[in-house]
Amino acid sequence: MGAQLFLIAVLIIILVVLIVYNKSLSKKLQTFSNIDDKIKSLNVIQDFMSTIGEELSVDDKIRKINEILLERYNIKYSTIVVFDGAEYVIKASNVDEKHWEALRALHKEDIFKDSISSAQTKYITVNTDNEKLPYQKMEFGRAKSAMFLPLYIENIYIGYWIIESGEKHAFDKLDTTILEVVRENIINVIKNVSYQSTIESIHRKDKFTGLYSAEYLYGKGKKIIDKYATSTVCMFKLINIEEINDKLGRKAGDKILTKISNIIKQNISPEYIFVRYMGPKFVIVFSGAEKQGVAEFMKNIKLRIEQVVINLEEKDKEKSIKMRPIFNFVLSTYYKGTGIEGVTKKLEEYLDKAPSGETNISYI
């Protein structure tokens, strides 16, 4: 009897030890799982930051971020929708385009309105194969679970991120803390690229010369320029524009700017970026070209455009006034990956501070 009691006691002790061990092991596994999730999250953040720094358009950056989310978190469908001030626009999605109309109208769905107003994540799923999610109008069976995450920048609602799965209860065990971190990083990316987005869309064409404004250099133009390690930037200024305007009138000044612009456009490669920088200042970026070759080329261009004559005919032909434009040129080197606006600012300062009679081709 005593031996049996001893054996039972030993078994109880072993059972208690195993229970304690299992709990300890479970905690360790959970810790490792949390650490793994954190490492994954950190890697995703690092990928986000790398994407921000790449020479891509804003839309391409957001699309790439969506691809990172799909790959790293093994999500079936992911869609990022942003309100651009006029309408809801799908910035990134791997869902077939035939479903985009429904996806960009989710803010109208009653099931998501509370989520938007409270800035809280909304999780919905079906329980049977015969059910469909409330926002699915024309489709059936594509998604059985969805997680809706409204996006806010400084308490201002800007859109939403929705992830979907073709399986029921797919996100029941998904760690929402990690999801919140990812959402915050999506918001940070949208904030960080907002300036770039403005630059990409703000450029316009000058009505007289047909040239893009300076903003084109910093957005779309920069993508062309940055195909090369170095480029030569030339800024030139019509230094006697005030005299032309005074003696011949402002229309004559506009006319001469148009004429010289057309001459230059006809003589440079489409790969080179030519813009009206500001007023009588123009910029040409010779993508991938060395300064020596550019300087020689600009000597010939300078000779040609300074031969243009503009006149004001009076009734008395003896009083007819004729004038020629006079230009001052300055060149500098742009290095890929640096700020091209820094180069143009330096060139502009040089021209503005140059002696009034200077009409050279300088290099700084």
Side-chain angles (χ1 to χ4, degrees), residues 236-252:
F236 61 95
K237 178 182 179 182
L238 177 57
I239 59 175
N240 62 337
I241 183 69
E242 290 181 6
E243 187 183 1
I244 291 171
N245 286 341
D246 288 343
K247 290 184 177 178
L248 305 181
R250 187 167 292 275
K251 284 186 179 179

Side-chain angles (χ1 to χ4, degrees), residues 92-360:
S93 181
N94 67 322
V95 178
D96 193 299
E97 286 192 34
K98 64 184 178 184
H99 303 306
W100 282 16
E101 197 60 43
L103 287 171
R104 68 169 143 249
L106 296 183
H107 59 285
K108 298 177 182 177
E109 296 291 333
D110 290 337
I111 198 163
F112 296 130
K113 285 181 179 178
D114 285 345
S115 175
I116 292 170
S117 60
S118 63
Q120 297 297 313
T121 299
K122 179 76 173 181
Y123 175 37
I124 55 175
T125 187
V126 299
N127 294 309
T128 68
D129 289 332
N130 296 325
E131 291 180 83
K132 65 178 182 179
L133 298 175
Y135 62 88
Q136 294 180 312
K137 309 298 182 189
M138 306 299 294
E139 55 180 320
F140 182 78
R142 178 182 67 82
K144 298 292 185 183
S145 303
M147 192 83 79
F148 179 91
L149 300 98
L151 305 175
Y152 278 79
I153 293 179
E154 295 174 0
N155 298 320
I156 298 172
Y157 169 67
I158 61 156
Y160 49 87
W161 172 39
I162 183 167
I163 59 174
E164 302 169 288
S165 172
E167 298 177 11
K168 303 185 293 287
H169 296 278
F171 306 128
D172 287 2
K173 295 179 181 178
L174 186 64
D175 186 347
T176 53
T177 5
I178 296 295
L179 213 56
E180 292 296 328
V181 171
V182 175
R183 171 169 65 173
E184 286 309 307
N185 280 284
I186 291 173
I187 291 167
N188 286 334
V189 169
I190 292 170
K191 281 169 66 177
N192 286 329
V193 297
S194 62
Y195 172 73
Q196 181 186 343
S197 179
T198 303
I199 290 298
E200 287 180 355
S201 60
I202 203 174
H203 67 260
R204 62 201 183 282
K205 280 193 173 182
D206 175 57
K207 67 177 182 179
F208 296 110
T209 62
L211 299 174
Y212 283 118
S213 60
E215 290 81 10
Y216 183 79
L217 281 177
Y218 315 130
K220 292 185 178 179
K222 195 170 186 295
K223 292 179 197 171
I224 300 169
I225 300 163
D226 279 351
K227 291 178 183 177
Y228 305 91
T230 61
S231 297
T232 300
V233 183
C234 171
M235 183 180 287
F236 61 95
K237 178 182 179 182
L238 177 57
I239 59 175
N240 62 337
I241 183 69
E242 290 181 6
E243 187 183 1
I244 291 171
N245 286 341
D246 288 343
K247 290 184 177 178
L248 305 181
R250 187 167 292 275
K251 284 186 179 179
D254 292 335
K255 189 176 179 181
I256 206 156
L257 290 174
T258 302
K259 278 189 175 183
I260 65 103
S261 298
N262 289 335
I263 292 171
I264 294 172
K265 277 190 282 189
Q266 290 164 11
N267 285 275
I268 61 172
S269 162
E271 192 74 2
Y272 299 154
I273 310 298
F274 181 29
V275 300
R276 184 170 183 181
Y277 185 77
M278 190 181 295
K281 299 188 192 85
F282 295 80
V283 169
I284 309 174
V285 181
F286 294 87
S287 315
E290 297 292 332
K291 61 182 180 181
Q292 292 85 355
V294 171
E296 285 302 314
F297 174 76
M298 291 315 296
K299 281 180 186 176
N300 295 325
I301 287 291
K302 188 174 187 296
L303 284 172
R304 289 191 62 178
I305 61 177
E306 288 186 338
Q307 292 305 309
V308 173
V309 176
I310 188 146
N311 61 351
L312 177 65
E313 294 286 350
E314 299 285 354
K315 288 181 182 178
D316 182 353
K317 289 191 178 181
E318 291 180 2
K319 294 182 180 179
S320 176
I321 304 171
K322 294 182 180 181
M323 294 189 70
R324 295 182 190 273
I326 304 169
F327 295 92
N328 196 12
F329 287 74
V330 60
L331 311 175
S332 189
T333 301
Y334 163 73
Y335 298 91
K336 179 181 177 179
T338 61
I340 195 167
E341 63 276 10
V343 178
T344 52
K345 185 180 179 183
K346 180 176 69 172
L347 296 177
E348 184 180 22
E349 286 174 354
Y350 177 88
L351 289 176
D352 287 344
K353 292 176 182 177
S356 58
E358 184 180 305
T359 171
N360 302 319

